[in-house]
Amino acid sequence: MRLTIAIPEAQLVQAPAALRLIRMAQASDMEADDQGPVYVACFEDFPQAVDVITHLIWESADPNGIHITIDGRPVVSPVKFYNTLLCYQESLGVADPAVYCTQQAARVGDGGECPDRACLSHCQFMCSRCVGVSREPGAPAMSPQLQRIARQAEVDWCPNLRIAQSDV
């Protein structure tokens, strides 16, 4: 997967460590847009470069001021994306990432945020009841609904995300 992060030069003045991290990308460049100079980092090996990417977003002065794309698709919420990155990064340190994801999703349910114990997402950033998955007759199949929700939650890229291709 290809991930690009564009950070306005004005933002880098407040976050000089970010420039060093931009240069750690497989490719980096400085471009200009109508807002002025922008530094662009391209990671062809996303999500394998999760450590550098997470650190780069953290070092940027304002995550909402950066522009991120995954395979050309704009990330609408850099903050949601960053939270997902952190979760994925944590999952790399456990023996079974699927169990980790299920445990994180269960914590959301235990906290009272997700009242649906039959939630099919197994991702803390998604919840079949809370985010509007319809099980009504005539509703689209569950898989496309969950895939749409995964994109809205900025988790559709996550290698740990498993959405069954059935009608459940």
Side-chain angles (χ1 to χ4, degrees), residues 7 18-20 34 60 63 69 72 83 115-116 135-136 143 161:
I7 304 176
L19 188 56
R20 179 183 50 83
D34 55 342
S60 70
T69 63
N83 289 330
D116 188 352
R135 297 178 187 174
E136 300 296 319
S143 178
L161 184 65

Side-chain angles (χ1 to χ4, degrees), residues 157-168:
W157 60 268
C158 183
N160 296 339
L161 184 65
R162 302 286 184 254
I163 297 175
Q165 296 298 315
S166 67
D167 239 5
V168 182

